[in-house]
């Protein structure tokens, strides 16, 4: 099974944040589109990608789209990852025994990033780290927030793609 494709309805879920607050996808979608970024703290590609995702969060905040991480690790390791990589956007905790939400989204590799439109349909499905997918998500976030797209990459910054397999 591979990650859910574009055009598919995103599965509903409810998970807890590091501080124990319950968050549901439907509640988040009631306020606008959502970017879900699934990760594992030991994943080198996740360590590479998440500072770029933080740039999205800083550029667009919650203006029309909310960026939410979904960790496949326990709270202690997830908090350490957030601190080490400067992650300030909300991060939810998938059940480390069953990976219920990760499995519902068909994950076989991380990072896996989904742009979920307000109607609940997946509009971008990205597995690994693909610069073009990141730029598409950035464009959609700017559009949803009715603001100009932010410059995500610094001049001279070498940004490479990393695909599983």
């Amino acid at each position: 099974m591979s990650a859910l494709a574009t055009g598919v309805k995103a599965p509903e879920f409810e998970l807890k944040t590091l501080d124990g607050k319950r968050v549901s996808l439907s509640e988040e979608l009631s306020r606008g589109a959502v970017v879900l970024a699934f990760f594992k703290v030991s994943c080198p590609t996740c360590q590479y990608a998440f500072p770029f995702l933080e740039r999205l969060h800083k550029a667009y905040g919650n203006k029309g789209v909310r960026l939410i991480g979904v960790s496949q690790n326990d709270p202690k390791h997830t908090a350490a990852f957030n601190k080490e990589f400067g992650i300030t956007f909300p991060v939810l905790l998938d059940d480390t025994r069953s990976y219920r939400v990760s499995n519902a989204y068909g994950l076989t590799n991380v990072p896996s990033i989904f742009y979920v439109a307000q109607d609940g349909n997946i509009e971008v499905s990205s597995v690994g780290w693909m610069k073009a997918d990141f730029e598409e998500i950035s464009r959609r976030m700017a559009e949803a927030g009715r603001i100009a797209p932010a410059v995500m990459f610094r001049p001279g910054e070498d940004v490479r793609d990393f695909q599983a397999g």
Side-chain angles (χ1 to χ4, degrees):
M1 179 180 195
S2 58
L4 295 179
T6 59
V8 172
K9 194 79 155 173
E12 172 61 21
F13 64 82
E14 182 178 283
L15 293 172
K16 289 183 181 179
T17 61
L18 283 169
D19 61 2
K21 179 184 172 210
R22 292 187 175 276
V23 175
S24 72
L25 179 62
S26 56
E27 180 183 319
E28 292 301 323
L29 289 173
S30 73
R31 294 189 281 271
V34 174
V35 174
L36 297 173
F38 290 82
F39 72 102
K40 200 156 189 61
V41 302
S42 61
C43 162
T45 305
C46 299
Q47 295 165 6
Y48 180 83
F50 267 63
F52 289 113
L53 293 170
E54 179 64 21
R55 290 182 190 178
L56 282 178
H57 176 66
K58 285 193 162 106
Y60 304 117
N62 293 324
K63 299 176 185 107
V65 180
R66 187 157 158 104
L67 176 60
I68 300 173
V70 181
S71 174
Q72 295 180 334
N73 293 91
D74 64 41
K76 177 184 170 188
H77 290 102
T78 300
F81 178 92
N82 290 350
K83 183 176 180 184
E84 180 177 353
F85 295 99
I87 305 307
T88 63
F89 53 85
V91 173
L92 308 177
L93 300 166
D94 202 356
D95 184 331
T96 57
R97 292 174 305 241
S98 68
Y99 299 106
R100 180 180 53 80
V101 176
S102 296
N103 287 328
Y105 279 76
L107 268 62
T108 55
N109 296 288
V110 287
S112 287
I113 304 167
F114 301 92
Y115 184 98
V116 183
Q118 192 167 9
D119 66 4
N121 287 319
I122 295 171
E123 292 188 351
V124 177
S125 175
S126 181
V127 178
W129 170 254
M130 300 300 295
K131 185 178 177 183
D133 291 346
F134 177 83
E135 290 171 325
E136 176 65 14
I137 290 168
S138 176
R139 184 190 66 72
R140 288 174 184 266
M141 289 180 82
E143 196 175 271
R146 296 185 174 98
I147 56 178
V151 175
M152 287 290 126
F153 304 114
R154 298 179 182 114
E157 190 170 40
D158 184 22
V159 181
R160 299 171 184 246
D161 291 338
F162 296 97
Q163 280 191 294

